[in-house]
Amino acid sequence: MQVLEGVSEFAAVAETSSFTVAGKRLGISTAQVSRQVSALEHRLGTKLFYRTTRKVSMTEAGQLYYQQCRRALDELEEAERAVTNLQLTPRGLLRLTAPVTYGEGTIAPILNDYLSRYPDVEAQLHLTNQMVDLVADGYDLAIRLGKLEDSTLMARRLTSRTFYVCASPDYLARHGEPHALSELDQHRCLLGTQDTWRFQEQGRARSVRVKGRLRCNSGWALVDAALKGMGLIQLPDYYVKDYIEAGELVSLLEPYQEREDGIWGVYPHNRHLSPKVSFFLDHLTAALKG
């Protein structure tokens, strides 16, 4: 396919700034690299490199072409890996970490199903609410909630979560229902680790400071307090959805609900994921969507 001729050689020179090193990387002669790059330049009608006896550097056209080519080559590599993985069976030790509550209730059962399907895989699941260093601590994968901060890692969006403000029918019968964010200061709010709750108003994110008698770093303890009529809570759907559907809690302030928050699979920057990780990511995505 002529459109691809010389592209791998060009990318190798662009990344090594050397025709000789590029040839060694590709397992071909320096002369062959030079011929392929020259033919590519002739086909494109422009110079891609400035060449001197001491240095090789990209022209402006070369830089633009490299950015596009690198993405295309990455996608080709991914396509080859995907086809190859069809012939492979996941095996080996899978080390992953997840937040405690979400890990216990959601990730662990999915992992157990995955292990049942692929008997050659072993797993270590570490549940913690602390941010671990995947590379330094040797993890293959982390499940992270909300906004991502570490741009050095690769991430796949698995699903999303929604935060609900809710209270028991008994509490609302005694204290009334808030209909605006400004009314929250008139209510007893059950606090987690933060003094503010998250909302969206007129398309913009908004934080509202709340107060109350109880503060606890356990979501389930706050759910129990809300069920007992002690106040309002704001928690993700996996804490409260079943209680709302059963009528034991009432969802409040829904027009101000923050748009869906991401749940991510995060892994070290490596395009060539092993089958044990890539298959688990696919399994996890399908299970969460299902």
Side-chain angles (χ1 to χ4, degrees), residues 119-159:
D120 292 331
V121 177
E122 300 177 21
Q124 292 179 359
L125 172 60
H126 179 54
L127 301 179
T128 177
N129 293 330
Q130 302 299 314
M131 192 72 71
V132 301
D133 186 325
L134 298 192
V135 176
D137 296 334
Y139 285 101
D140 298 300
L141 180 69
I143 307 302
R144 293 193 174 159
L145 312 177
K147 296 177 177 62
L148 297 179
E149 298 179 358
D150 194 339
S151 61
T152 65
L153 300 173
M154 302 295 288
R156 182 194 293 190
R157 188 183 179 102
L158 304 172
T159 185

Side-chain angles (χ1 to χ4, degrees), residues 7 10-15 40 44 48-49 58-76 271:
V7 172
F10 161 74
V13 175
E15 290 166 0
L40 178 62
L44 295 174
L48 300 175
F49 295 106
M58 281 188 285
T59 64
E60 182 179 358
Q63 292 173 350
L64 177 62
Y65 192 64
Y66 173 75
Q67 291 172 2
Q68 302 297 322
C69 287
R70 185 67 266 170
R71 285 197 289 269
L73 289 171
D74 287 347
E75 289 176 1
L76 283 172
R271 291 191 303 274

Side-chain angles (χ1 to χ4, degrees), residues 24-43:
K24 291 179 179 178
R25 175 195 281 191
L26 297 173
I28 60 178
S29 68
T30 303
Q32 187 174 349
V33 174
S34 181
R35 282 195 300 270
Q36 290 284 58
V37 171
S38 294
L40 178 62
E41 289 177 322
H42 178 73
R43 193 168 78 242

Side-chain angles (χ1 to χ4, degrees), residues 87-203:
Q87 316 302 322
L88 299 175
T89 300
R91 56 173 46 87
L93 177 63
L94 175 64
R95 300 191 71 236
L96 64 153
T97 180
V100 176
T101 299
Y102 192 72
E104 287 177 335
T106 302
I107 301 302
I110 295 173
L111 175 62
N112 294 338
D113 291 339
Y114 177 74
L115 294 176
S116 298
R117 180 177 297 183
Y118 298 106
D120 292 331
V121 177
E122 300 177 21
Q124 292 179 359
L125 172 60
H126 179 54
L127 301 179
T128 177
N129 293 330
Q130 302 299 314
M131 192 72 71
V132 301
D133 186 325
L134 298 192
V135 176
D137 296 334
Y139 285 101
D140 298 300
L141 180 69
I143 307 302
R144 293 193 174 159
L145 312 177
K147 296 177 177 62
L148 297 179
E149 298 179 358
D150 194 339
S151 61
T152 65
L153 300 173
M154 302 295 288
R156 182 194 293 190
R157 188 183 179 102
L158 304 172
T159 185
S160 58
R161 61 178 180 170
T162 301
F163 279 81
Y164 285 85
V165 174
C166 48
S168 70
D170 175 62
Y171 175 88
L172 297 175
R174 289 184 286 113
H175 300 281
E177 178 179 337
H179 296 284
L181 300 184
S182 59
E183 296 176 21
L184 282 173
D185 62 3
Q186 303 169 22
H187 287 268
R188 301 173 183 176
C189 297
L190 306 170
L191 305 179
T193 57
Q194 304 293 326
D195 291 326
T196 57
W197 285 358
R198 299 160 47 176
F199 297 98
Q200 190 159 318
E201 187 173 26
Q202 297 180 345

